[in-house]
Short mmCIF file of all heavy atoms in Angstrom, two decimals:
data_model
loop_
_atom_site.label_atom_id
_atom_site.label_comp_id
_atom_site.label_asym_id
_atom_site.label_seq_id
_atom_site.Cartn_x
_atom_site.Cartn_y
_atom_site.Cartn_z
N LEU A 252 0.82 -1.19 0.02
CA LEU A 252 -0.01 0.01 0.00
C LEU A 252 0.85 1.26 0.00
O LEU A 252 0.55 2.20 -0.69
CB LEU A 252 -0.93 -0.01 1.20
CG LEU A 252 -2.00 -1.08 1.25
CD1 LEU A 252 -2.75 -1.05 2.57
CD2 LEU A 252 -2.97 -0.95 0.10
N ARG A 253 1.94 1.25 0.80
CA ARG A 253 2.82 2.45 0.86
C ARG A 253 3.38 2.75 -0.54
O ARG A 253 3.41 3.90 -0.96
CB ARG A 253 3.91 2.21 1.87
CG ARG A 253 3.44 2.30 3.33
CD ARG A 253 4.63 2.44 4.25
NE ARG A 253 5.37 1.19 4.35
CZ ARG A 253 5.11 0.22 5.23
NH1 ARG A 253 4.13 0.40 6.14
NH2 ARG A 253 5.85 -0.84 5.30
N VAL A 254 3.84 1.73 -1.24
CA VAL A 254 4.42 1.92 -2.56
C VAL A 254 3.37 2.47 -3.53
O VAL A 254 3.59 3.46 -4.23
CB VAL A 254 5.02 0.62 -3.10
CG1 VAL A 254 5.34 0.74 -4.58
CG2 VAL A 254 6.26 0.25 -2.33
N ALA A 255 2.20 1.84 -3.52
CA ALA A 255 1.16 2.22 -4.49
C ALA A 255 0.64 3.62 -4.22
O ALA A 255 0.49 4.42 -5.17
CB ALA A 255 -0.02 1.23 -4.44
N PHE A 256 0.40 3.96 -2.95
CA PHE A 256 -0.16 5.31 -2.66
C PHE A 256 0.92 6.40 -2.87
O PHE A 256 0.57 7.57 -3.17
CB PHE A 256 -0.75 5.35 -1.28
CG PHE A 256 -2.13 4.77 -1.21
CD1 PHE A 256 -2.40 3.65 -0.47
CD2 PHE A 256 -3.17 5.39 -1.89
CE1 PHE A 256 -3.70 3.09 -0.41
CE2 PHE A 256 -4.45 4.88 -1.82
CZ PHE A 256 -4.70 3.75 -1.11
N THR A 257 2.19 6.07 -2.70
CA THR A 257 3.23 7.05 -3.03
C THR A 257 3.19 7.41 -4.50
O THR A 257 3.28 8.56 -4.87
CB THR A 257 4.60 6.47 -2.65
OG1 THR A 257 4.70 6.29 -1.25
CG2 THR A 257 5.71 7.42 -3.12
N ARG A 258 2.98 6.40 -5.35
CA ARG A 258 2.90 6.64 -6.77
C ARG A 258 1.64 7.43 -7.11
O ARG A 258 1.66 8.33 -7.98
CB ARG A 258 2.91 5.30 -7.53
CG ARG A 258 4.27 4.59 -7.42
CD ARG A 258 4.16 3.16 -7.98
NE ARG A 258 3.90 3.19 -9.42
CZ ARG A 258 4.85 3.16 -10.35
NH1 ARG A 258 6.12 3.13 -9.99
NH2 ARG A 258 4.54 3.14 -11.63
N ILE A 259 0.51 7.10 -6.51
CA ILE A 259 -0.74 7.80 -6.76
C ILE A 259 -0.62 9.28 -6.37
O ILE A 259 -0.98 10.17 -7.11
CB ILE A 259 -1.90 7.15 -6.00
CG1 ILE A 259 -2.18 5.74 -6.58
CG2 ILE A 259 -3.18 8.02 -6.12
CD1 ILE A 259 -3.16 4.93 -5.72
N ARG A 260 -0.08 9.55 -5.18
CA ARG A 260 0.08 10.91 -4.72
C ARG A 260 0.96 11.71 -5.70
O ARG A 260 0.68 12.87 -5.99
CB ARG A 260 0.68 10.94 -3.30
CG ARG A 260 -0.23 10.47 -2.20
CD ARG A 260 0.45 10.76 -0.87
NE ARG A 260 -0.28 10.27 0.26
CZ ARG A 260 0.04 9.19 0.95
NH1 ARG A 260 1.12 8.47 0.57
NH2 ARG A 260 -0.66 8.75 2.01
N ARG A 261 2.05 11.11 -6.13
CA ARG A 261 2.93 11.78 -7.04
C ARG A 261 2.25 12.17 -8.31
O ARG A 261 2.42 13.28 -8.86
CB ARG A 261 4.16 10.89 -7.33
CG ARG A 261 5.24 11.56 -8.19
CD ARG A 261 6.34 10.60 -8.53
NE ARG A 261 6.86 9.91 -7.31
CZ ARG A 261 6.98 8.60 -7.19
NH1 ARG A 261 6.57 7.82 -8.12
NH2 ARG A 261 7.47 8.12 -6.06
N LYS A 262 1.42 11.28 -8.87
CA LYS A 262 0.73 11.55 -10.11
C LYS A 262 -0.33 12.65 -9.94
O LYS A 262 -0.50 13.50 -10.83
CB LYS A 262 0.09 10.27 -10.65
CG LYS A 262 1.11 9.26 -11.12
CD LYS A 262 0.48 7.94 -11.58
CE LYS A 262 1.56 6.93 -12.01
NZ LYS A 262 0.98 5.69 -12.47
N LEU A 263 -1.01 12.66 -8.79
CA LEU A 263 -1.99 13.69 -8.51
C LEU A 263 -1.28 15.06 -8.39
O LEU A 263 -1.78 16.07 -8.89
CB LEU A 263 -2.75 13.38 -7.24
CG LEU A 263 -3.70 12.17 -7.26
CD1 LEU A 263 -4.26 11.89 -5.87
CD2 LEU A 263 -4.83 12.40 -8.26
N GLN A 264 -0.16 15.09 -7.71
CA GLN A 264 0.59 16.33 -7.54
C GLN A 264 1.13 16.81 -8.88
O GLN A 264 1.13 18.01 -9.15
CB GLN A 264 1.71 16.13 -6.53
CG GLN A 264 1.21 15.95 -5.13
CD GLN A 264 2.31 15.55 -4.16
OE1 GLN A 264 3.46 15.29 -4.56
NE2 GLN A 264 1.98 15.51 -2.87
N ASP A 265 1.61 15.90 -9.69
CA ASP A 265 2.10 16.27 -11.04
C ASP A 265 1.01 16.90 -11.87
O ASP A 265 1.27 17.69 -12.78
CB ASP A 265 2.70 15.06 -11.78
CG ASP A 265 4.01 14.61 -11.15
OD1 ASP A 265 4.62 15.35 -10.39
OD2 ASP A 265 4.44 13.45 -11.49
N ALA A 266 -0.28 16.50 -11.60
CA ALA A 266 -1.40 17.07 -12.34
C ALA A 266 -1.94 18.38 -11.74
O ALA A 266 -2.88 18.93 -12.22
CB ALA A 266 -2.55 16.04 -12.42
N GLY A 267 -1.26 18.84 -10.66
CA GLY A 267 -1.59 20.12 -10.07
C GLY A 267 -2.47 20.11 -8.88
O GLY A 267 -2.90 21.15 -8.38
N LEU A 268 -2.72 18.90 -8.33
CA LEU A 268 -3.56 18.81 -7.10
C LEU A 268 -2.63 18.82 -5.88
O LEU A 268 -2.01 17.81 -5.61
CB LEU A 268 -4.43 17.58 -7.12
CG LEU A 268 -5.53 17.49 -6.05
CD1 LEU A 268 -6.50 18.64 -6.18
CD2 LEU A 268 -6.25 16.16 -6.19
N GLU A 269 -2.54 19.92 -5.19
CA GLU A 269 -1.65 20.05 -4.05
C GLU A 269 -2.30 19.66 -2.77
O GLU A 269 -3.52 19.66 -2.63
CB GLU A 269 -1.07 21.48 -4.00
CG GLU A 269 -0.33 21.91 -5.24
CD GLU A 269 0.91 21.11 -5.51
OE1 GLU A 269 1.49 20.53 -4.55
OE2 GLU A 269 1.34 20.99 -6.67
N GLY A 270 -1.48 19.45 -1.74
CA GLY A 270 -2.01 19.24 -0.40
C GLY A 270 -2.18 17.74 -0.10
O GLY A 270 -1.95 16.87 -0.94
N GLY A 271 -2.62 17.48 1.15
CA GLY A 271 -2.78 16.10 1.59
C GLY A 271 -4.09 15.51 1.19
O GLY A 271 -4.95 15.28 2.04
N VAL A 272 -4.22 15.24 -0.11
CA VAL A 272 -5.51 14.70 -0.60
C VAL A 272 -5.73 13.28 -0.06
O VAL A 272 -6.84 12.92 0.32
CB VAL A 272 -5.54 14.67 -2.14
CG1 VAL A 272 -6.83 14.11 -2.67
CG2 VAL A 272 -5.33 16.10 -2.69
N ILE A 273 -4.68 12.49 -0.04
CA ILE A 273 -4.75 11.13 0.49
C ILE A 273 -3.89 11.04 1.72
O ILE A 273 -2.71 11.41 1.68
CB ILE A 273 -4.28 10.08 -0.55
CG1 ILE A 273 -5.19 10.06 -1.75
CG2 ILE A 273 -4.25 8.68 0.07
CD1 ILE A 273 -4.76 9.14 -2.90
N SER A 274 -4.49 10.61 2.82
CA SER A 274 -3.77 10.53 4.09
C SER A 274 -3.72 9.10 4.59
O SER A 274 -4.72 8.34 4.38
CB SER A 274 -4.39 11.43 5.13
OG SER A 274 -4.39 12.79 4.72
N ALA A 275 -2.64 8.74 5.24
CA ALA A 275 -2.53 7.43 5.91
C ALA A 275 -2.82 7.59 7.41
O ALA A 275 -2.24 8.46 8.06
CB ALA A 275 -1.15 6.87 5.70
N TYR A 276 -3.73 6.73 7.92
CA TYR A 276 -3.98 6.68 9.34
C TYR A 276 -3.18 5.50 9.86
O TYR A 276 -3.47 4.35 9.61
CB TYR A 276 -5.47 6.50 9.64
CG TYR A 276 -6.24 7.81 9.63
CD1 TYR A 276 -6.33 8.61 8.49
CD2 TYR A 276 -6.83 8.27 10.80
CE1 TYR A 276 -7.02 9.79 8.49
CE2 TYR A 276 -7.54 9.47 10.84
CZ TYR A 276 -7.63 10.22 9.65
OH TYR A 276 -8.28 11.39 9.67
N SER A 277 -2.11 5.78 10.61
CA SER A 277 -1.19 4.77 11.12
C SER A 277 -1.93 3.63 11.82
O SER A 277 -2.70 3.87 12.74
CB SER A 277 -0.15 5.40 12.03
OG SER A 277 0.76 4.40 12.49
N GLY A 278 -1.66 2.41 11.32
CA GLY A 278 -2.28 1.25 11.94
C GLY A 278 -3.74 1.03 11.59
O GLY A 278 -4.34 0.05 12.05
N VAL A 279 -4.33 1.89 10.75
CA VAL A 279 -5.73 1.79 10.41
C VAL A 279 -5.98 1.62 8.92
O VAL A 279 -6.44 0.58 8.47
CB VAL A 279 -6.53 2.99 10.94
CG1 VAL A 279 -8.03 2.84 10.64
CG2 VAL A 279 -6.30 3.19 12.41
N GLY A 280 -5.66 2.66 8.15
CA GLY A 280 -5.91 2.59 6.69
C GLY A 280 -5.64 3.91 6.01
O GLY A 280 -4.81 4.70 6.49
N TYR A 281 -6.35 4.14 4.92
CA TYR A 281 -6.14 5.39 4.11
C TYR A 281 -7.47 6.09 3.90
O TYR A 281 -8.54 5.44 3.89
CB TYR A 281 -5.54 5.02 2.76
CG TYR A 281 -4.07 4.62 2.85
CD1 TYR A 281 -3.69 3.32 3.21
CD2 TYR A 281 -3.07 5.54 2.58
CE1 TYR A 281 -2.37 2.98 3.27
CE2 TYR A 281 -1.73 5.21 2.65
CZ TYR A 281 -1.39 3.91 3.01
OH TYR A 281 -0.04 3.58 3.12
N ILE A 282 -7.38 7.41 3.72
CA ILE A 282 -8.58 8.22 3.49
C ILE A 282 -8.33 9.21 2.39
O ILE A 282 -7.22 9.80 2.28
CB ILE A 282 -8.99 8.96 4.80
CG1 ILE A 282 -10.29 9.74 4.62
CG2 ILE A 282 -7.86 9.85 5.31
CD1 ILE A 282 -10.82 10.36 5.92
N LEU A 283 -9.31 9.41 1.54
CA LEU A 283 -9.29 10.43 0.51
C LEU A 283 -10.11 11.63 1.03
O LEU A 283 -11.29 11.43 1.42
CB LEU A 283 -9.86 9.93 -0.80
CG LEU A 283 -10.03 10.97 -1.92
CD1 LEU A 283 -8.68 11.45 -2.41
CD2 LEU A 283 -10.82 10.35 -3.08
#
């Protein structure tokens, strides 16, 4: 998950979407 979401975040940022759009909740999961 860490690898995949790192790539997703990078692509979103490259498209101009800044900020913490996707966040990781330690020990729980991910949120958009």
Side-chain angles (χ1 to χ4, degrees):
L252 295 174
R253 286 194 289 269
V254 168
F256 279 115
T257 295
R258 293 170 65 93
I259 294 170
R260 289 190 185 104
R261 185 184 307 128
K262 292 176 182 180
L263 292 174
Q264 290 172 353
D265 289 345
L268 190 60
E269 300 296 335
V272 180
I273 297 176
S274 300
Y276 276 63
S277 180
V279 181
Y281 287 82
I282 183 173
L283 174 69

